[in-house]
Amino acid sequence: QVQLAESGGGLVQAGGSLRLSCAASGSIFSFNAMAWYRQAPGKEREWVATIGNDGSTASADSLKGRFTISRDIAKNTVYLQMNSLKPEDTAVYYCNAHEWIGIKSYNYWGQGIQVTVSS
C-alpha cells in the first residue's frame, strides 16, 4: 500500500515562504508522476504542480513564478517551494502520486496539510 506523508505546512505571514514535503513509502520512480493539489475552504480541489518520472515539471499558470515543484529521488520525497505567499494561498495542500499497473490507473493521496497565510 502506497503511503504519502506531507509535512512543512503551517501559519505564515503574507509575503513569506514555506516548503512542503511529501515523503513516499516507496521509490518515487514507480510513479509516472507526482503532484500537488490544494483545496481552499468552500472551493473545489485544484491542481498546483506536477513532476513527471523524467523530472519534467508543470505548474498552474496562476502560480508560476511563485511555486516550484522538485524532488529528491534518494529520499523518495517531492517538494513544493512556495514563495511570496498570499492570503488566497490558504488551503489544505495534498500530495498525489499516479501510477499505471498494467492498463489500470492508480491515484494515491496524502492526508493533506494545512497552509494558512495571514494578511
Side-chain angles (χ1 to χ4, degrees):
Q1 179 71 19
V2 173
Q3 293 184 331
L4 303 173
E6 299 104 335
S7 61
L11 175 65
V12 64
Q13 288 189 333
S17 298
L18 281 176
R19 188 178 78 159
L20 303 183
S21 300
C22 172
S25 56
S27 172
I28 60 176
F29 265 141
S30 68
F31 308 125
N32 68 289
M34 295 187 71
W36 288 96
Y37 288 75
R38 68 183 184 182
Q39 187 167 17
K43 295 187 177 182
E44 293 187 352
R45 189 172 298 188
E46 66 172 346
W47 171 70
V48 173
T50 295
I51 186 163
N53 184 272
D54 61 356
S56 60
T57 62
S59 59
D61 287 343
S62 61
L63 301 174
K64 284 180 180 177
R66 296 195 301 123
F67 287 20
T68 304
I69 190 170
S70 63
R71 67 183 181 180
D72 186 328
I73 295 171
K75 295 182 178 179
N76 292 319
T77 300
V78 172
Y79 303 99
L80 183 68
Q81 178 68 44
M82 305 184 293
N83 298 327
S84 302
L85 283 162
K86 305 174 182 180
E88 51 263 43
D89 294 318
T90 295
V92 177
Y93 285 71
Y94 296 91
C95 180
N96 167 269
H98 176 264
E99 68 175 344
W100 290 98
I101 300 177
I103 61 172
K104 292 187 177 180
S105 172
Y106 292 86
N107 268 295
Y108 308 101
W109 294 92
Q111 78 284 0
I113 192 161
Q114 179 69 46
V115 170
T116 303
V117 184
S118 63
S119 56

